[in-house]
Amino acid sequence: MRTPLPGGVRLAVAAALFAASALGLTAAPAAAAEHRPGPADVPRRYLALGDSLAAGYQTTPDGGRVVGRGYAQDIARVLGERAAARHRPFDFTDLGCPGETTGTMANGGCPWPHPWTDSQLAAAERFLREHRKDRVLVTIDIGANDVNRCASGGTIDLPCALQGIATAGRGLSDILGRLRAAAGPHTRIVGMNLYDPFLAAWLTGEQGRATAAMSLPLSHALNAAIGIADAAHGVPTADVARAFDTDELRPVPFNGAQVPLNVARIMQWTNMARGDIHANDAGYQVIADTFLAKL
């Protein structure tokens, strides 16, 4: 179901789509051959890479912050159980760093405390070279922080967002190229696209609905950039945007009112009710299940 947009929003959306097309974000190149494991495949090691989502960051109702309670931990639990059932060893390493951009992931400077001295990518390359002979699963999410800074105060800075999308696409492609070069023949890399937390603005009134409407084509452009980079390196993309019903606008009951399904999903599966864009436990499980469906 589609709803008409106000004139000003239509112009902004058209500009976003035109600029995204000019940046080459609308047509993916042919993907490299993808390894599709059989049911018996269980990785010896699981390496989680990326930003705060990979790190399992979320806030708590009392104002606290936790790390290590996210989709990577959910995936590791399932893979660990599968390995145990087959009497196989299994190790989990999470290098995800809250606040990481594609630039800091490659060059260093993650704002959260971390165990490496150079960059997350360099640490990942060392890990993959050290375990080249093992069957390794790598999951990666990165790029959101290249764009999130462009939305503040209930508005979206369109030029900033488009530049961030281009930066995220180029940065992710460079990162995947380096990971591929370091990986052994039994390493599998799986990426993910992103849900749109700014849909929550729909609940704040007319201006918020315009912001939510504008966020959708920008979300599409960012996810297209991620998909293109993944495909160029033969990396399957877990479709988290679809799992979160990002494009579903049909009204559903929520807190005594009718709201678009995509808005309801954001409110149910993230902590946007308290202004935190990160997934909650339920949302992280949805992300984990979306990854696991690719395995």
Side-chain angles (χ1 to χ4, degrees):
M1 175 181 177
R2 299 289 179 186
T3 56
L5 304 179
V9 177
R10 285 201 302 271
L11 290 175
V13 168
L17 293 176
F18 177 81
S21 176
L23 288 169
L25 300 179
T26 57
E34 175 192 334
H35 166 64
R36 296 186 178 276
D41 280 354
V42 178
R44 169 67 179 82
R45 303 180 190 279
Y46 168 34
L47 175 65
L49 302 176
D51 52 31
S52 51
L53 296 182
Y57 175 99
Q58 55 178 303
T59 58
T60 57
D62 61 1
R65 300 182 298 178
V66 297
V67 173
R69 204 173 85 189
Y71 75 78
Q73 287 71 33
D74 294 332
I75 293 171
R77 182 176 61 255
V78 171
L79 296 180
E81 291 170 352
R82 292 178 183 175
R86 293 167 173 79
H87 306 289
R88 297 179 182 177
F90 173 77
D91 289 315
F92 169 48
T93 300
D94 191 345
L95 297 182
C97 193
E100 198 85 286
T101 65
T102 55
T104 62
M105 185 173 183
N107 303 314
C110 179
W112 193 268
H114 48 272
W116 56 86
T117 57
D118 36 20
S119 71
Q120 182 182 166
L121 180 55
E125 290 173 308
R126 287 193 294 272
F127 180 98
L128 292 174
R129 284 192 288 265
E130 182 179 350
H131 302 294
R132 281 186 62 85
K133 296 182 179 180
D134 289 340
R135 188 179 299 280
V136 179
L137 169 67
V138 178
T139 61
I140 180 170
D141 79 84
I142 196 69
N145 290 322
D146 291 275
V147 179
N148 285 344
R149 62 185 175 84
C150 303
S152 63
T155 62
I156 295 174
D157 182 335
L158 189 56
C160 171
L162 292 173
Q163 181 58 50
I165 289 166
T167 299
R170 290 192 300 267
L172 175 59
S173 185
D174 291 343
I175 288 166
L176 292 176
R178 287 176 57 178
L179 292 175
R180 279 292 191 205
H186 306 296
T187 293
R188 188 171 192 229
I189 305 171
V190 183
M192 64 169 267
N193 61 23
L194 301 166
Y195 57 83
D196 180 0
F198 304 109
L199 290 169
W202 193 94
L203 298 171
T204 64
E206 184 176 351
Q207 181 59 45
R209 294 184 184 190
T211 297
M214 188 185 297
S215 76
L216 273 177
L218 295 173
S219 174
H220 294 160
L222 176 58
N223 285 334
I226 291 170
I228 289 168
D230 285 350
H233 296 278
V235 172
T237 305
D239 196 350
V240 170
R242 183 174 182 180
F244 271 66
D245 293 312
T246 297
D247 290 324
E248 291 293 338
L249 301 178
R250 67 180 185 273
V252 297
F254 178 77
N255 284 353
Q258 293 286 313
V259 307
L261 177 58
N262 56 2
V263 175
R265 288 287 186 247
I266 289 300
M267 300 309 295
Q268 291 165 339
W269 292 344
T270 76
N271 290 310
M272 280 300 288
R274 53 177 175 268
D276 174 15
I277 66 174
H278 299 90
N280 56 25
D281 288 339
Y284 275 127
Q285 186 62 63
V286 171
I287 297 172
D289 290 343
T290 307
F291 267 114
L292 288 166
K294 288 289 185 182
L295 307 182

